Amino acid sequence: MDILKTYRLVPVEEGEDYIKLLVPRGYDPLVIEEIRFLTGKSVEALEVDGEEFSKELQNRLAQEEVYVEELKEEEDSKRDILLEEEKSPAVSFVNSTLIKATTLSASDIHIEPYEDGSLVRLRLDGVLHDYVSLPLSLHESVVSRIKVLANLNVAERRVPQDGKIRVRIGKRDLDIRVSIVPTTFGERVVLRLLDKSGTMLTLQELGLSEEDLEKVKRLAQKPYGIVLATGPTGAGKSTTLYAMILHIKSPHKNIITIEDPPEYQVKGVSQIQVNPKVGLTFASGLRAILRQDPDVIMVGEIRDGETAQIAVHAALTGHLVLSTLHTNDAPSAITRLSDLGIEPFLIASSLEGVLAQRLVRKVCEYCKEPYKPTKEELHQLGLDGDYTFYRGRGCEMCMGTGYRGRMGIYEVLELDEELKQLILKTQDANDIRKKAKEKGFRSMYEDGLEKVIMGITTPEELIRAVKVEE
């Protein structure tokens, strides 16, 4: 990567894992973070005043021009698409926005045309933030550039189009899902960024408490039965299931998944994508998987009674089945399975455990500061005493939000014989929760409250994610 030309910064020294750069005073720290991200090296910025920096930059650029050689052809095939020099404003804008979004770990880019201009927004840690405005004159060419990258019909502007872009940014391979729909003022684009570089989290990295981590490890190592991850869309359920797969993956186990679509690529795990157009649904795919001699099956989601019945059958015939359900908490999963038509004795026989989760934003480490909560705040959280909480002031590194990154808050319901006997009598979530609490079950709210007290997240985030317990 040519830092001198791309960023107009002066490299002073470069080793295998570090770079020293000369930068003018007051230089944007986000750009330093971007270079660190793209090179995979630690970056040390040496600040000098503007005049000295300007002289050094001009000298280095002059030296570079003397040594320019025409040996680009072989290199071009290996260069990142996003680091190619392009004079077109649309190409330049798309490239720089993708680099910025990836640097900030954004999950989505929205490009929205309105009467007076086009608004570009980034979704960071689950929340949309305004990024930049485009003139409508540039909007059309930006959309066309995205269509070219996604192999879509550039001339078609009347109907929705979906596509995919595969690019490399620095050392990261990205799959970008593209959705384009026509609106009153032009085509609206949403890009979903999926990192394919294998940055899967392990169970230890999920943010589980020590006690919950041990429970999840035990559940993952069960020889058969169903283990469910529950929560709303975007709560990190698939990430948790993949962490469990990583924990138990071995050359001696046949692990097959069926998903819509596969979110991670794992060596040694066979992954199937559902395709309802040709009749490949979760239910039909699951039936086919059972004929493939699997040890562990992961089903992206149990959506209907048919899939639930086959999953239970698989669990009872000696397979470990990992899947997700949309329920608010762990005990409600039992009620949901009952609603899907699974008999209580089958639930009790097949279900081994349920992990419910939400994602909360973490306090930005760059602008973190302590504060004393008011009595009202403590009362709202059900606390009494002297506590110090933490919050982010807001800085360039977190785009002024005070938050940077996310982590999970969890509750893990491990079913023992006593709870299974209770399920035979009642599938009421409140009754199951009450009995589980007697046996040491800790709720998502309690887990989140501990993370507030530890200074990892804020009371506002906890209350946004989980309702306050009575």
Side-chain angles (χ1 to χ4, degrees):
M1 187 175 91
D2 194 336
I3 293 170
L4 188 68
K5 283 186 180 176
T6 307
Y7 291 96
R8 288 296 194 262
L9 294 178
V10 181
V12 177
E13 191 181 324
E14 185 167 358
E16 273 188 31
D17 56 357
Y18 73 93
I19 304 171
K20 286 185 182 177
L21 299 176
L22 209 60
V23 304
R25 274 203 178 82
Y27 199 73
D28 185 355
L30 260 182
V31 176
I32 302 297
E33 179 76 2
E34 196 168 293
I35 294 167
R36 182 198 63 73
F37 171 83
L38 290 171
T39 60
K41 299 180 178 184
S42 65
V43 179
E44 185 182 341
L46 309 170
E47 285 196 351
V48 294
D49 66 55
E51 197 174 325
E52 185 184 337
F53 176 79
S54 185
K55 276 183 191 171
E56 189 60 39
L57 180 64
Q58 284 170 13
N59 286 340
R60 285 293 293 274
L61 285 170
Q63 287 169 24
E64 285 283 315
E65 281 166 24
V66 174
Y67 295 111
V68 169
E69 294 177 18
E70 295 295 325
L71 42 81
K72 282 198 166 183
E73 229 170 275
E74 191 184 334
E75 288 178 5
D76 276 353
S77 62
K78 297 178 183 175
R79 288 172 77 187
D80 293 359
I81 188 171
L82 301 182
L83 298 179
E84 290 173 6
E85 288 176 45
E86 272 284 358
K87 295 197 175 156
S88 153
V91 171
S92 175
F93 175 79
V94 170
N95 290 358
S96 64
T97 302
L98 285 172
I99 290 173
K100 184 67 74 179
T102 312
T103 306
L104 292 168
S105 299
S107 59
D108 302 83
I109 302 169
H110 291 228
I111 304 171
E112 309 162 5
Y114 297 104
E115 190 173 8
D116 54 351
S118 181
L119 178 64
V120 181
R121 300 196 287 169
L122 304 179
R123 189 177 291 282
L124 306 175
D125 301 325
V127 179
L128 275 171
H129 298 276
D130 291 354
Y131 172 56
V132 73
S133 291
L134 283 176
L136 278 177
S137 55
L138 183 57
H139 175 84
E140 210 167 278
S141 51
V142 165
V143 175
S144 295
R145 170 62 178 164
I146 290 167
K147 285 180 178 176
V148 168
L149 289 172
N151 292 318
L152 299 176
N153 185 346
V154 177
E156 180 57 77
R157 295 173 188 164
R158 301 160 301 168
V159 297
Q161 295 191 67
D162 293 318
K164 186 183 274 189
I165 302 170
R166 285 201 169 121
V167 292
R168 171 167 284 189
I169 301 178
K171 295 186 177 180
R172 288 200 175 186
D173 291 315
L174 286 188
D175 269 6
I176 302 172
R177 280 191 235 152
V178 181
S179 170
I180 300 176
V181 296
T183 70
T184 312
F185 299 108
E187 290 176 292
R188 187 184 197 280
V189 181
V190 174
L191 306 175
R192 164 63 58 89
L193 310 182
L194 300 168
D195 191 346
K196 292 292 177 187
S197 303
T199 53
M200 283 191 299
L201 298 178
T202 63
L203 284 177
Q204 287 80 0
E205 293 168 327
L206 290 177
L208 289 154
S209 67
E210 279 187 35
E211 190 184 338
D212 284 347
L213 177 61
E214 289 309 310
K215 285 183 188 175
V216 174
K217 282 181 178 177
R218 281 198 297 271
L219 290 172
Q221 287 162 339
K222 294 273 182 187
Y224 51 83
I226 297 176
V227 178
L228 296 173
T230 77
T233 304
K237 300 185 294 295
S238 296
T239 301
T240 298
L241 293 185
Y242 268 105
M244 292 173 81
I245 285 173
L246 277 184
H247 182 67
I248 58 176
K249 186 169 80 81
S250 85
H252 312 297
K253 283 188 175 170
N254 179 18
I255 303 174
I256 306 178
T257 78
I258 179 160
E259 303 166 76
D260 183 21
E263 295 199 22
Y264 298 95
Q265 290 173 345
V266 191
K267 195 173 181 183
V269 175
S270 299
Q271 295 166 286
I272 301 168
Q273 177 161 349
V274 299
N275 186 352
K277 287 178 186 172
V278 296
L280 179 53
T281 61
F282 280 120
S284 65
L286 190 46
R287 276 199 193 90
I289 287 171
L290 287 172
R291 296 192 287 273
Q292 289 279 314
D293 185 32
D295 297 297
V296 181
I297 303 166
M298 185 182 118
V299 185
E301 187 186 337
I302 293 177
R303 292 179 181 170
D304 52 53
E306 187 184 6
T307 309
Q309 293 282 1
I310 304 165
V312 167
H313 170 71
L316 294 174
T317 51
H319 306 89
L320 178 62
V321 180
L322 308 176
S323 191
T324 71
L325 264 185
H326 285 290
T327 66
N328 288 329
D329 55 29
S332 298
I334 291 141
T335 314
R336 176 77 180 125
L337 287 173
S338 180
D339 291 344
L340 287 170
I342 307 298
E343 295 290 341
F345 75 93
L346 289 174
I347 299 173
S349 305
S350 61
L351 189 63
E352 294 297 328
V354 186
L355 184 148
Q357 64 185 86
R358 297 286 189 283
L359 289 178
V360 293
R361 292 183 289 171
K362 295 196 290 185
V363 176
C364 173
E365 290 293 334
Y366 293 93
C367 60
K368 189 174 186 176
E369 62 180 15
Y371 76 98
K372 286 288 181 187
T374 63
K375 281 186 178 177
E376 288 75 18
E377 276 182 284
L378 290 173
H379 179 70
Q380 189 182 14
L381 294 170
L383 294 175
D384 186 26
D386 184 30
Y387 289 92
T388 299
F389 292 164
Y390 288 83
R391 61 189 167 202
R393 279 191 314 279
C395 65
E396 286 176 316
M397 301 304 284
C398 61
M399 283 185 71
T401 62
Y403 298 99
R404 188 177 165 90
R406 288 191 290 179
M407 78 178 307
I409 56 173
Y410 303 90
E411 60 184 34
V412 183
L413 180 64
E414 199 176 13
L415 297 179
D416 60 10
E417 279 310 310
E418 197 176 344
L419 284 169
K420 290 189 174 197
Q421 287 301 316
L422 179 63
I423 290 168
L424 293 174
K425 296 174 191 166
T426 176
Q427 294 80 56
D428 183 271
N430 290 327
D431 292 343
I432 294 162
R433 174 178 288 275
K434 189 177 172 187
K435 173 57 76 176
K437 281 207 160 190
E438 288 172 17
K439 303 169 81 63
F441 171 77
R442 201 172 69 141
S443 69
M444 258 186 295
Y445 181 79
E446 289 168 309
D447 186 43
L449 191 56
E450 186 178 306
K451 283 162 183 167
V452 169
I453 293 166
M454 290 166 68
I456 299 169
T457 189
T458 63
E460 292 79 11
E461 274 298 287
L462 174 60
I463 291 163
R464 181 184 66 79
V466 194
K467 69 176 184 179
V468 178
E469 290 191 346
E470 297 301 324

